[in-house]
């Protein structure tokens, strides 16, 4: 949701070649199983940008939009004094301000289309649940919320984002990754009371939709359905299911001396085991050691959890490919027709970064596909 700043810092890490065995299907007992994540190291810049920030400017059309957002916040939190715009997009605006002696962050939805309305209401419901049932990780305290007007106010937590990009251009420090994985594992082991959270992802529907879009082949769909059937059979006996953050990007995790803080709970709920780990694996393309550790963690609970992780990984990687293919197409559309003097500064560079990232995602997806097929062969 936001990236706070503090004096906590770490030196950049140098890139290292990817060792073998860093993939999601890592089983020493099965030497024929494909190894994911192997290959030469590449510096693939992410396409995310640092959150924009600046002093409040209430003039012009954007100023009018800000005044409307501030009015929405004041309806539920009259003492909120806005100080700075932390981030603004076409969908929402984040404001930093004070509430008495505390600092708070207000999130106001600008795009009230059904999908975004549902997401912020889901996030509000999560923060309200955390008031009654505290998770085993640090989360911001809820200050005020209005699901009808899609407005949320939470305390601003100290710390720095584990990464400012969705796909970090360089491997994060190992200490950061260790702290992140520890927090995610504690969260995944949490069992909130029944009825407090739902299952945000319909796996059968997602697989079918990606197949219809041509992102999954017929064999991909068949293999994933076989694994889903096997997982469902095991779940009937073991009650397989895991509470996940649902969007465990490094940019959604703040690091502070007191420990990691998780923000942006729009997708929290029950998933097949390993969804958060699959998300981290997908975005840590330049951290082979971390990928190998994630792979080992995913298979530590047995074949069913391993298979669930592979299903999650295929869906996460396919979603990322779809997202960045759209971004590349948009970049090409924006830069190709324009005269050099009219082209957006850095647009070509950004487009090249997107294409490099997309190439890596396709490589990762091919490796995950091989691992899925190998897992089906063991059933």
């Amino acid at each position: 949701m936001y990236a706070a700043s503090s004096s906590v810092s770490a030196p950049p890490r140098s890139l290292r070649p990817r060792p073998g065995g860093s993939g999601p299907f890592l089983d020493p007992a099965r030497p024929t199983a494909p190894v994911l994540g192997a290959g030469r190291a590449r510096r693939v810049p992410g396409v995310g940008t640092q959150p924009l920030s600046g002093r409040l400017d209430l003039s012009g059309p954007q100023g009018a939009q800000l005044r409307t957002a501030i009015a929405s916040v004041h309806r539920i939190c009259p003492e909120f004094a806005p100080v700075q715009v932390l981030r603004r997009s076409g969908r929402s605006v984040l404001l930093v301000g004070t509430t008495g002696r505390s600092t708070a962050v207000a999130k106001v939805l600008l795009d009230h289309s059904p999908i975004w309305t549902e997401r912020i209401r889901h996030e509000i419901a999560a923060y309200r649940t955390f008031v009654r049932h505290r998770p085993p990780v640090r989360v911001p305290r809820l200050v005020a919320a209005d699901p009808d007007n899609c407005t949320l106010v939470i305390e601003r937590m100290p710390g720095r984002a584990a990464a400012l990009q969705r796909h970090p251009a360089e491997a994060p420090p190992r200490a950061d990754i260790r702290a992140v994985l520890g927090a995610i594992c504690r969260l995944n082991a949490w069992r909130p009371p029944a009825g407090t959270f739902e299952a945000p992802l319909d796996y059968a529907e997602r697989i079918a939709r990606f197949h219809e879009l041509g992102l999954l082949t017929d064999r991909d769909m068949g293999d994933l359905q076989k694994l889903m059937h096997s997982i469902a059979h095991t779940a009937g006996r073991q009650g397989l299911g895991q509470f996940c953050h649902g969007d465990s990007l490094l940019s959604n995790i703040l690091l502070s001396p007191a420990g990691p803080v998780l923000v942006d709970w729009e997708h929290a709920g029950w998933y097949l085991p390993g969804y958060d780990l699959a998300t981290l694996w997908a975005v840590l393309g330049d951290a082979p050691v971390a990928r190998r550790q994630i792979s080992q963690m995913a298979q530590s609970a047995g074949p069913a959890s391993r298979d669930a992780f592979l299903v999650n990984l295929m869906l996460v990687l396919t979603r990322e490919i779809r997202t960045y293919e759209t971004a590349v197409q948009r970049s090409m559309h924006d830069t190709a027709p324009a005269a050099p003097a009219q082209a957006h500064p850095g647009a070509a560079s950004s487009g090249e970064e997107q294409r490099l990232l997309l190439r890596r995602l396709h490589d990762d997806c091919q490796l995950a596909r091989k691992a899925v097929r190998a897992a089906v062969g063991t059933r």
Side-chain angles (χ1 to χ4, degrees):
M1 178 176 173
Y2 64 90
S5 61
S6 76
S7 59
V8 181
S9 61
R13 307 283 294 191
S14 60
L15 298 181
R16 295 178 172 84
R18 296 182 183 183
S22 59
F25 189 20
L26 182 67
D27 191 343
R30 294 194 180 103
T32 59
V35 175
L36 279 70
R40 70 181 185 276
R42 298 186 294 274
R43 187 181 187 277
V44 185
V47 300
T49 57
Q50 293 188 17
L52 301 176
S53 64
R55 291 296 173 182
L56 290 178
D57 181 4
L58 302 180
S59 62
Q62 290 191 343
Q65 193 178 60
L66 275 180
R67 289 195 298 272
T68 301
I70 293 171
S72 295
V73 177
H74 282 164
R75 277 195 290 270
I76 60 173
C77 188
E79 67 275 18
F80 181 81
V83 174
Q84 193 176 35
V85 176
L86 187 62
R87 188 173 67 206
R88 188 206 310 242
S89 68
R91 295 192 296 267
S92 62
V93 61
L94 297 183
L95 299 166
V96 178
T98 59
T99 54
R101 296 183 178 180
S102 302
T103 308
V105 173
K107 179 177 183 179
V108 182
L109 195 67
L110 302 177
D111 179 357
H112 287 264
S113 57
I115 183 173
W116 301 116
T117 298
E118 179 183 357
R119 286 188 181 181
I120 193 170
R121 288 177 178 172
H122 184 92
E123 184 174 18
I124 289 172
Y127 276 110
R128 285 179 169 175
T129 299
F130 295 154
V131 173
R132 302 186 302 272
H133 308 287
R134 298 297 295 177
V137 295
R138 299 180 69 226
V139 300
R141 177 180 58 85
L142 176 65
V143 177
D146 182 358
D148 293 331
N149 289 320
C150 300
T151 304
L152 171 66
V153 183
I154 59 174
E155 68 173 325
R156 191 186 191 193
M157 303 289 283
R160 58 177 175 84
L164 294 177
Q165 297 173 318
R166 186 178 186 90
H167 292 262
E170 297 182 358
R174 292 186 182 180
D176 289 1
I177 294 177
R178 185 164 55 249
V180 166
L181 287 177
I184 292 299
C185 288
R186 290 194 300 274
L187 179 68
N188 293 160
W190 187 44
R191 309 293 292 187
T196 52
F197 288 94
E198 299 178 353
L201 177 58
D202 184 332
Y203 282 86
E205 185 276 334
R206 182 67 59 86
I207 292 171
R209 180 155 59 89
F210 282 169
H211 178 256
E212 290 174 0
L213 292 172
L215 299 170
L216 295 175
T217 66
D218 291 345
R219 181 170 180 180
D220 290 337
M221 183 175 183
D223 287 344
L224 291 175
Q225 288 175 336
K226 290 176 183 177
L227 288 185
M228 288 291 295
H229 177 76
S230 176
I231 294 167
H233 177 71
T234 303
R237 294 181 284 107
Q238 298 181 0
L240 201 65
Q242 188 178 76
F243 181 79
C244 293
H245 178 277
D247 196 22
S248 55
L249 304 171
L250 295 175
S251 55
N252 286 335
I253 302 175
L254 306 179
L255 300 176
S256 73
V261 182
L262 275 64
V263 298
D264 259 355
W265 294 87
E266 298 176 352
H267 304 276
W270 294 97
Y271 292 81
L272 291 180
Y275 189 87
D276 284 341
L277 292 178
T279 300
L280 286 171
W281 194 97
V283 301
L284 286 172
D286 285 302
V289 174
R291 279 189 162 185
R292 182 169 63 247
Q293 183 180 359
I294 291 171
S295 300
Q296 293 168 342
M297 292 168 62
Q299 72 164 359
S300 62
S305 293
R306 177 206 62 193
D307 293 350
F309 170 74
L310 290 177
V311 171
N312 286 322
L313 186 60
M314 276 295 293
L315 294 184
V316 169
L317 287 170
T318 303
R319 179 198 64 200
E320 294 296 294
I321 288 173
R322 183 189 182 195
T323 298
Y324 285 95
E325 281 183 342
T326 302
V328 168
Q329 292 170 0
R330 186 182 301 116
S331 174
M332 294 175 64
H333 179 270
D334 291 343
T335 59
Q342 298 172 332
H344 185 274
S349 175
S350 177
E352 180 62 20
E353 290 175 352
Q354 292 170 355
R355 284 187 285 273
L356 288 171
L357 175 58
L358 187 56
R359 183 188 307 168
R360 195 210 81 204
L361 289 171
H362 276 290
D363 290 345
D364 287 344
C365 194
Q366 184 60 25
L367 292 169
R369 179 176 288 112
K370 292 178 181 178
V372 167
R373 292 175 182 176
V376 170
T378 66
R379 290 298 180 183

